[in-house]
Amino acid sequence: MRIACFVESYNFKFKQEKEALEIFKKTAEDLGHSFTTLGDEILHYIDKFDSVFIRATTDPLFTSYVVSRLAEEMGKKVIDDSESIRVCSNKVALYYRLKKNSIPIPKTIPFFGDFENLESYANKLGFPLVVKAPNSRFSLYVEKANNYDELVKITKRFMRRSKALILQEYMPTAFDWRVGVLEGESIYACKYFMPKGGWRVRDSIEGRKVWGKVKAVKVENLPKKLRKIAERAAKSVGNGLYGVDIKEVDGDYYVIEVNDNPTIMHGDEDTKNPELYEKIIQALVS
Amino acid sequence: MILVGEGEDLEPPDSFMKRRVSGKVLNLLGDYRYLTKGYYVSLHAEENGCEVFPPVKNALDAYRAPLFISILRKLGFETPEFEIVCNPKPEACVLLPLNPFSKNSAKVVKNSYQYLKAFRSLSMNRYPVVQVKAEKIEIVDMYLTKTNKEEYSFVAETLFRTLKIPLGKVFFEVNGEKVKPFYFAPLEKDEINFELIFEVLNNENSLFC
């Protein structure tokens, strides 16, 4: 089978991401498939391939969405499929989906600019609370409001670029679970630690952007309850490849995000479950 | 049927999005681009299990020229030739964004200077651009199954019944007697003709069957 992998250079800032891509290619070739990485020129060649693997930032406003939709229209197997992109790229859409499927999440309220109700929303969630722009990623446009004045300032600033926001209960934890789920099955897991002095996985500490450490955990060793919640959360979006972020508080689990196109870096996500590469390639050719 | 929009006899989007809804929803905001209020109204309806006009997937498809042209061709319409270009290939044509970041972004270019200027603006030095072989174009406003120019309503009828998009602007290449649709864009708030919308709603019984 011929697999096309859509990449954009700015997505490969870290050498571990390039290494992971090389492992994908080698794994595909060892299994008897071709694996061709392409940039925007993929738009001319989709019909030449059997499946498309998107490893570029996914968002309905980016080229990746058009690649996904065109591939679907041509009947190709696509990871990420367009519905997953639409739901996961938008925290409001994701909130609807998780709520509808009774997935445990922190207390959450979508905010559509009705400032007259902002105070009552804040009272329901308590301070501090987290404000998220719908298309935030890598903790960008995710801020914590410690009081009502801060909340008004943050929401006004965020509303300049969005018609909707997410207000969410703040759950402080030392790390977030990240469970990689493919076609409904957990295939890898990690703990994404908060950097020292930060509260987000990617935070700004003394004016510097800092990432927390990553510690892989063998999927087979995950608490059953955690694994089940991750798989249910992924299923509520679709049947593709997802990175489910989960907070653990007093033995309970709360899904904070389901990400399509999850980060896979060699030496991080793949450490305990290196077979993830083969599983993803098999999903692309099945 | 819930009619959502900004006008008389319509439910305002802000109150609509704050309540649980059911049944059929006609979203008359006119601009359904990603992250707009029109998009969220359709999303809210869809996630509440409603049949909504337009569904979010169709709205996103319609505004992306290669997908819209592909849909038109599947529906049997003749369309102009087009190409997705990553680098400039100057010629007299219509340049369109691959993704509609802003409204009114289609550019009719007649020479290299206009072409390069439009290409820079649409590509944002990052995105591919859609180049349509068309020199003379006509833009019509679509209101459900009708257009503001009667002779183009045949396209509106098919688009509404298949894509379920109520409002928009359809771009046509005009070449002598032949008219070929190729692009779909949002309608601005002040361009929406509610009189025409209600005329269609009152006269067509089988619109939402």
Side-chain angles (χ1 to χ4, degrees):
Chain A
M1 300 276 262
R2 295 156 301 174
I3 303 166
C5 180
F6 174 54
V7 296
E8 288 182 297
S9 54
Y10 60 86
N11 289 110
F12 292 88
K13 277 184 257 170
F14 302 102
K15 78 172 187 335
Q16 299 98 309
E17 287 176 306
K18 286 184 195 147
E19 287 166 358
L21 195 63
E22 281 158 19
I23 299 173
F24 274 119
K25 184 174 169 63
K26 185 174 184 316
T27 306
E29 288 171 353
D30 288 348
L31 291 166
H33 310 292
S34 68
F35 188 94
T36 311
T37 51
L38 294 158
D40 288 342
E41 68 274 19
I42 194 174
L43 291 159
H44 301 291
Y45 303 117
I46 294 173
D47 60 334
K48 306 262 186 290
F49 294 90
D50 300 299
S51 55
V52 176
F53 185 31
I54 296 175
R55 288 271 88 196
T57 307
T58 49
D59 186 293
L61 282 177
F62 293 171
T63 306
S64 53
Y65 186 77
V66 179
V67 170
S68 179
R69 279 294 295 123
L70 286 173
E72 284 171 352
E73 285 296 300
M74 293 176 197
K76 315 290 180 190
K77 177 82 183 254
V78 193
I79 295 177
D80 302 304
D81 63 275
S82 66
E83 187 179 0
S84 296
I85 297 175
R86 282 196 303 278
V87 176
C88 296
S89 301
N90 188 312
K91 289 181 171 39
V92 176
L94 182 62
Y95 158 76
Y96 282 127
R97 205 50 81 85
L98 296 175
K99 193 172 162 234
K100 193 159 78 180
N101 288 279
S102 307
I103 307 296
I105 57 172
K107 276 188 270 176
T108 303
I109 299 174
F111 177 68
F112 296 104
D114 45 325
F115 280 92
E116 68 279 13
N117 297 320
L118 188 57
E119 198 165 0
S120 76
Y121 297 157
N123 291 338
K124 281 180 196 159
L125 300 173
F127 284 108
L129 63 83
V130 179
V131 186
K132 297 177 177 179
N135 52 346
S136 54
R137 58 176 65 87
F138 304 125
S139 306
L140 282 170
Y141 297 103
V142 175
E143 292 189 19
K144 190 167 62 176
N146 292 298
N147 53 53
Y148 188 66
D149 284 348
E150 281 184 17
L151 177 62
V152 172
K153 276 184 195 153
I154 296 168
T155 46
K156 279 191 175 163
R157 182 156 42 86
F158 280 15
M159 288 302 287
R160 274 187 232 141
R161 62 187 290 275
S162 175
K163 300 283 182 213
L165 302 175
I166 284 292
L167 308 176
Q168 196 164 63
E169 174 188 13
Y170 174 56
M171 284 187 171
T173 53
F175 65 87
D176 288 347
W177 283 103
R178 160 63 64 96
V179 184
V181 180
L182 174 71
E183 297 184 331
E185 182 207 344
S186 304
I187 60 166
Y188 66 86
C190 299
K191 287 178 177 177
Y192 285 171
F193 285 88
M194 310 302 154
K196 201 175 170 192
W199 62 280
R200 296 169 290 196
V201 171
R202 176 188 188 262
D203 215 327
S204 180
I205 317 264
E206 291 168 2
R208 284 178 53 236
K209 297 280 173 216
V210 187
W211 290 86
K213 288 190 173 133
V214 179
K215 187 182 172 209
V217 177
K218 204 164 172 55
V219 152
E220 293 74 10
N221 297 338
L222 286 181
K224 265 188 191 162
K225 191 173 164 188
L226 168 68
R227 201 168 156 168
K228 197 174 165 192
I229 286 174
E231 290 170 3
R232 276 182 54 218
K235 273 266 176 204
S236 75
V237 175
N239 203 34
L241 172 65
Y242 309 97
V244 184
D245 292 342
I246 297 175
K247 295 246 178 227
E248 180 178 351
V249 180
D250 301 329
D252 287 321
Y253 299 100
Y254 301 89
V255 174
I256 50 167
E257 271 182 33
V258 179
N259 302 280
D260 65 310
N261 191 35
T263 301
I264 296 175
M265 293 212 212
H266 180 46
D268 284 340
E269 284 79 6
D270 63 358
T271 314
K272 299 285 183 183
N273 289 96
E275 69 282 7
L276 71 90
Y277 295 101
E278 187 173 333
K279 287 184 172 173
I280 293 169
I281 295 296
Q282 293 289 15
L284 282 162
V285 298
S286 63
Chain B
M1 169 76 73
I2 306 169
L3 306 185
V4 184
E6 286 166 346
E8 245 179 80
D9 301 325
L10 304 174
E11 175 160 356
D14 291 342
S15 70
F16 174 81
M17 287 190 287
K18 274 191 219 100
R19 66 183 185 96
R20 285 194 69 84
V21 290
S22 59
K24 291 185 181 182
V25 176
L26 181 62
N27 177 352
L28 294 172
L29 281 161
D31 182 355
Y32 312 111
R33 286 173 308 133
Y34 185 57
L35 301 180
T36 60
K37 208 157 251 187
Y39 183 83
Y40 281 115
V41 164
S42 281
L43 178 68
H44 183 71
E46 218 162 79
E47 294 294 335
N48 274 278
C50 300
E51 185 185 358
V52 60
F53 299 75
V56 292
K57 174 173 172 275
N58 294 2
L60 292 186
D61 279 359
Y63 295 146
R64 281 149 185 83
L67 289 163
F68 185 61
I69 293 176
S70 159
I71 291 164
L72 288 167
R73 287 178 178 171
K74 280 184 187 166
L75 291 170
F77 290 109
E78 212 178 322
T79 59
E81 280 177 47
F82 80 100
E83 197 181 345
I84 302 170
V85 288
C86 303
N87 297 302
K89 287 172 87 173
E91 63 176 351
C93 63
V94 179
L95 284 182
L96 305 167
L98 186 68
N99 277 311
F101 281 98
S102 55
K103 287 183 268 191
N104 301 320
S105 42
K107 316 268 186 211
V108 182
V109 296
K110 298 195 182 307
N111 55 47
S112 293
Y113 174 76
Q114 288 178 352
Y115 179 101
L116 292 170
K117 196 175 161 201
F119 188 92
R120 267 196 303 276
S121 145
L122 294 176
S123 70
M124 301 162 88
N125 293 320
R126 173 175 168 181
Y127 298 105
V129 167
V130 181
Q131 188 159 331
V132 180
K133 280 197 191 308
E135 292 184 34
K136 196 175 165 208
I137 66 166
E138 176 107 49
I139 304 167
V140 301
D141 296 350
M142 177 181 133
Y143 299 96
L144 307 139
T145 55
K146 301 281 181 214
T147 56
N148 57 346
K149 291 176 184 164
E150 189 53 44
E151 63 271 31
Y152 293 89
S153 286
F154 67 102
V155 173
E157 172 87 32
T158 310
L159 287 180
F160 179 74
R161 299 215 185 267
T162 51
L163 285 179
K164 299 181 175 179
I165 297 194
L167 305 176
K169 287 179 194 167
V170 186
F171 288 57
F172 291 83
E173 181 207 6
V174 180
N175 191 351
E177 291 290 294
K178 275 197 168 172
V179 291
K180 301 176 184 174
F182 66 91
Y183 189 54
F184 195 83
L187 262 189
E188 305 272 357
K189 191 176 161 186
D190 54 9
E191 291 171 324
I192 300 176
N193 182 342
F194 285 106
E195 211 173 293
L196 192 48
I197 292 171
F198 283 104
E199 193 185 304
V200 180
L201 284 172
N202 293 332
N203 292 333
E204 292 214 31
N205 297 325
S206 62
L207 267 186
F208 303 101
C209 295

Short mmCIF file of all heavy atoms in Angstrom, two decimals, chain B residues 65-80 155 158-159 163 170-172 180-184:
data_model
loop_
_atom_site.label_atom_id
_atom_site.label_comp_id
_atom_site.label_asym_id
_atom_site.label_seq_id
_atom_site.Cartn_x
_atom_site.Cartn_y
_atom_site.Cartn_z
N ALA B 65 -12.72 26.26 -2.01
CA ALA B 65 -12.94 26.15 -3.46
C ALA B 65 -12.73 24.74 -4.03
O ALA B 65 -13.60 24.26 -4.77
CB ALA B 65 -12.08 27.17 -4.19
N PRO B 66 -11.64 24.04 -3.70
CA PRO B 66 -11.47 22.72 -4.34
C PRO B 66 -12.58 21.75 -3.94
O PRO B 66 -13.02 20.93 -4.77
CB PRO B 66 -10.13 22.21 -3.79
CG PRO B 66 -9.45 23.38 -3.22
CD PRO B 66 -10.50 24.37 -2.83
N LEU B 67 -13.06 21.86 -2.71
CA LEU B 67 -14.14 20.97 -2.26
C LEU B 67 -15.46 21.37 -2.89
O LEU B 67 -16.25 20.53 -3.31
CB LEU B 67 -14.24 20.99 -0.73
CG LEU B 67 -13.07 20.30 -0.02
CD1 LEU B 67 -13.00 20.71 1.44
CD2 LEU B 67 -13.19 18.79 -0.13
N PHE B 68 -15.70 22.68 -2.97
CA PHE B 68 -16.95 23.16 -3.55
C PHE B 68 -17.02 22.76 -5.03
O PHE B 68 -18.06 22.28 -5.50
CB PHE B 68 -17.06 24.68 -3.40
CG PHE B 68 -18.37 25.25 -3.86
CD1 PHE B 68 -19.57 24.86 -3.26
CD2 PHE B 68 -18.42 26.17 -4.89
CE1 PHE B 68 -20.79 25.37 -3.70
CE2 PHE B 68 -19.63 26.70 -5.33
CZ PHE B 68 -20.82 26.30 -4.73
N ILE B 69 -15.91 22.94 -5.75
CA ILE B 69 -15.91 22.59 -7.18
C ILE B 69 -16.12 21.09 -7.34
O ILE B 69 -16.86 20.64 -8.22
CB ILE B 69 -14.62 23.08 -7.87
CG1 ILE B 69 -14.60 24.62 -7.88
CG2 ILE B 69 -14.50 22.52 -9.29
CD1 ILE B 69 -13.35 25.26 -8.44
N SER B 70 -15.49 20.31 -6.45
CA SER B 70 -15.68 18.86 -6.52
C SER B 70 -17.15 18.49 -6.30
O SER B 70 -17.71 17.64 -7.01
CB SER B 70 -14.76 18.22 -5.47
OG SER B 70 -15.19 16.95 -5.13
N ILE B 71 -17.80 19.17 -5.35
CA ILE B 71 -19.23 18.92 -5.10
C ILE B 71 -20.05 19.30 -6.34
O ILE B 71 -20.93 18.56 -6.78
CB ILE B 71 -19.71 19.72 -3.87
CG1 ILE B 71 -19.07 19.16 -2.59
CG2 ILE B 71 -21.23 19.71 -3.74
CD1 ILE B 71 -19.16 20.09 -1.39
N LEU B 72 -19.75 20.48 -6.90
CA LEU B 72 -20.50 20.93 -8.08
C LEU B 72 -20.39 19.92 -9.22
O LEU B 72 -21.38 19.61 -9.90
CB LEU B 72 -19.97 22.29 -8.56
CG LEU B 72 -20.28 23.50 -7.68
CD1 LEU B 72 -19.42 24.69 -8.11
CD2 LEU B 72 -21.76 23.88 -7.77
N ARG B 73 -19.17 19.40 -9.40
CA ARG B 73 -18.97 18.45 -10.51
C ARG B 73 -19.76 17.17 -10.25
O ARG B 73 -20.35 16.61 -11.18
CB ARG B 73 -17.48 18.15 -10.67
CG ARG B 73 -16.75 19.34 -11.29
CD ARG B 73 -15.27 19.11 -11.44
NE ARG B 73 -14.65 20.28 -12.07
CZ ARG B 73 -13.35 20.46 -12.19
NH1 ARG B 73 -12.51 19.55 -11.73
NH2 ARG B 73 -12.87 21.54 -12.78
N LYS B 74 -19.75 16.73 -8.98
CA LYS B 74 -20.53 15.51 -8.66
C LYS B 74 -22.02 15.74 -8.90
O LYS B 74 -22.76 14.82 -9.20
CB LYS B 74 -20.30 15.12 -7.20
CG LYS B 74 -19.00 14.36 -7.01
CD LYS B 74 -18.86 13.89 -5.58
CE LYS B 74 -17.49 13.29 -5.36
NZ LYS B 74 -17.16 13.10 -3.96
N LEU B 75 -22.45 17.00 -8.72
CA LEU B 75 -23.87 17.32 -8.93
C LEU B 75 -24.20 17.53 -10.41
O LEU B 75 -25.33 17.81 -10.76
CB LEU B 75 -24.24 18.58 -8.13
CG LEU B 75 -24.24 18.43 -6.61
CD1 LEU B 75 -24.39 19.80 -5.93
CD2 LEU B 75 -25.37 17.51 -6.15
N GLY B 76 -23.18 17.43 -11.25
CA GLY B 76 -23.40 17.52 -12.68
C GLY B 76 -23.23 18.91 -13.28
O GLY B 76 -23.54 19.11 -14.45
N PHE B 77 -22.75 19.86 -12.50
CA PHE B 77 -22.54 21.20 -13.05
C PHE B 77 -21.21 21.28 -13.79
O PHE B 77 -20.22 20.68 -13.36
CB PHE B 77 -22.53 22.26 -11.93
CG PHE B 77 -23.87 22.48 -11.30
CD1 PHE B 77 -24.13 22.04 -10.01
CD2 PHE B 77 -24.89 23.12 -12.01
CE1 PHE B 77 -25.37 22.24 -9.43
CE2 PHE B 77 -26.14 23.32 -11.43
CZ PHE B 77 -26.38 22.88 -10.14
N GLU B 78 -21.21 22.05 -14.85
CA GLU B 78 -19.96 22.33 -15.53
C GLU B 78 -19.25 23.43 -14.75
O GLU B 78 -19.89 24.42 -14.35
CB GLU B 78 -20.27 22.80 -16.95
CG GLU B 78 -19.20 22.41 -17.93
CD GLU B 78 -19.54 22.85 -19.35
OE1 GLU B 78 -20.74 22.76 -19.71
OE2 GLU B 78 -18.64 23.30 -20.04
N THR B 79 -17.95 23.27 -14.51
CA THR B 79 -17.21 24.28 -13.72
C THR B 79 -15.97 24.70 -14.51
O THR B 79 -15.49 23.94 -15.36
CB THR B 79 -16.75 23.71 -12.37
OG1 THR B 79 -15.92 22.58 -12.61
CG2 THR B 79 -17.92 23.28 -11.50
N PRO B 80 -15.42 25.87 -14.22
CA PRO B 80 -14.19 26.25 -14.91
C PRO B 80 -13.01 25.39 -14.44
O PRO B 80 -13.09 24.77 -13.37
CB PRO B 80 -13.97 27.71 -14.49
CG PRO B 80 -15.04 28.06 -13.55
CD PRO B 80 -15.91 26.89 -13.32
N VAL B 155 -29.13 26.74 -9.74
CA VAL B 155 -28.00 26.31 -8.91
C VAL B 155 -28.40 26.32 -7.44
O VAL B 155 -28.12 25.38 -6.70
CB VAL B 155 -26.76 27.22 -9.14
CG1 VAL B 155 -25.65 26.87 -8.15
CG2 VAL B 155 -26.25 27.07 -10.54
N THR B 158 -30.45 23.24 -6.34
CA THR B 158 -29.66 22.02 -6.14
C THR B 158 -28.77 22.15 -4.90
O THR B 158 -28.65 21.22 -4.11
CB THR B 158 -28.78 21.75 -7.39
OG1 THR B 158 -29.62 21.82 -8.52
CG2 THR B 158 -28.11 20.40 -7.31
N LEU B 159 -28.12 23.31 -4.75
CA LEU B 159 -27.20 23.47 -3.61
C LEU B 159 -27.95 23.39 -2.28
O LEU B 159 -27.50 22.76 -1.34
CB LEU B 159 -26.47 24.81 -3.70
CG LEU B 159 -25.37 24.91 -4.76
CD1 LEU B 159 -24.73 26.29 -4.73
CD2 LEU B 159 -24.31 23.83 -4.55
N LEU B 163 -26.58 20.44 -0.16
CA LEU B 163 -25.67 20.90 0.91
C LEU B 163 -26.43 21.47 2.11
O LEU B 163 -25.84 21.68 3.17
CB LEU B 163 -24.73 21.99 0.37
CG LEU B 163 -23.59 21.53 -0.52
CD1 LEU B 163 -22.79 22.74 -0.99
CD2 LEU B 163 -22.68 20.56 0.21
N VAL B 170 -22.89 33.00 -4.68
CA VAL B 170 -22.31 32.03 -5.60
C VAL B 170 -21.62 32.80 -6.73
O VAL B 170 -22.20 33.73 -7.30
CB VAL B 170 -23.39 31.09 -6.19
CG1 VAL B 170 -22.74 29.99 -7.02
CG2 VAL B 170 -24.24 30.47 -5.08
N PHE B 171 -20.38 32.41 -7.01
CA PHE B 171 -19.60 33.02 -8.08
C PHE B 171 -19.71 32.15 -9.34
O PHE B 171 -19.55 30.94 -9.26
CB PHE B 171 -18.12 33.11 -7.69
CG PHE B 171 -17.81 34.13 -6.64
CD1 PHE B 171 -18.44 34.10 -5.40
CD2 PHE B 171 -16.87 35.13 -6.87
CE1 PHE B 171 -18.15 35.04 -4.42
CE2 PHE B 171 -16.57 36.07 -5.90
CZ PHE B 171 -17.20 36.03 -4.68
N PHE B 172 -19.96 32.82 -10.46
CA PHE B 172 -20.07 32.11 -11.74
C PHE B 172 -19.04 32.68 -12.72
O PHE B 172 -18.82 33.90 -12.75
CB PHE B 172 -21.45 32.34 -12.37
CG PHE B 172 -22.58 31.68 -11.63
CD1 PHE B 172 -23.17 32.30 -10.53
CD2 PHE B 172 -23.09 30.46 -12.05
CE1 PHE B 172 -24.23 31.70 -9.86
CE2 PHE B 172 -24.15 29.85 -11.38
CZ PHE B 172 -24.72 30.47 -10.28
N LYS B 180 -20.84 29.11 -15.40
CA LYS B 180 -20.32 27.97 -14.64
C LYS B 180 -20.04 28.38 -13.20
O LYS B 180 -19.19 29.25 -12.96
CB LYS B 180 -19.03 27.46 -15.28
CG LYS B 180 -19.16 27.03 -16.72
CD LYS B 180 -17.77 26.65 -17.26
CE LYS B 180 -17.83 26.29 -18.72
NZ LYS B 180 -16.48 26.06 -19.28
N PRO B 181 -20.72 27.77 -12.24
CA PRO B 181 -20.45 28.13 -10.84
C PRO B 181 -19.09 27.61 -10.40
O PRO B 181 -18.63 26.58 -10.89
CB PRO B 181 -21.57 27.40 -10.08
CG PRO B 181 -21.95 26.27 -10.97
CD PRO B 181 -21.71 26.70 -12.38
N PHE B 182 -18.42 28.31 -9.45
CA PHE B 182 -17.13 27.81 -8.99
C PHE B 182 -16.78 28.18 -7.54
O PHE B 182 -15.85 27.64 -6.97
CB PHE B 182 -16.00 28.26 -9.91
CG PHE B 182 -15.73 29.75 -9.93
CD1 PHE B 182 -14.81 30.33 -9.07
CD2 PHE B 182 -16.40 30.57 -10.83
CE1 PHE B 182 -14.56 31.69 -9.09
CE2 PHE B 182 -16.16 31.94 -10.85
CZ PHE B 182 -15.24 32.50 -9.99
N TYR B 183 -17.50 29.10 -6.94
CA TYR B 183 -17.06 29.51 -5.59
C TYR B 183 -18.26 29.92 -4.76
O TYR B 183 -19.26 30.43 -5.31
CB TYR B 183 -16.08 30.69 -5.72
CG TYR B 183 -15.39 31.07 -4.41
CD1 TYR B 183 -14.71 30.12 -3.67
CD2 TYR B 183 -15.42 32.39 -3.95
CE1 TYR B 183 -14.07 30.46 -2.48
CE2 TYR B 183 -14.77 32.74 -2.76
CZ TYR B 183 -14.10 31.78 -2.03
OH TYR B 183 -13.48 32.11 -0.86
N PHE B 184 -18.15 29.72 -3.47
CA PHE B 184 -19.24 30.04 -2.55
C PHE B 184 -18.67 30.89 -1.42
O PHE B 184 -17.61 30.56 -0.86
CB PHE B 184 -19.83 28.74 -1.99
CG PHE B 184 -21.15 28.91 -1.32
CD1 PHE B 184 -22.32 28.94 -2.07
CD2 PHE B 184 -21.24 29.05 0.05
CE1 PHE B 184 -23.56 29.09 -1.45
CE2 PHE B 184 -22.47 29.20 0.68
CZ PHE B 184 -23.64 29.23 -0.09
#
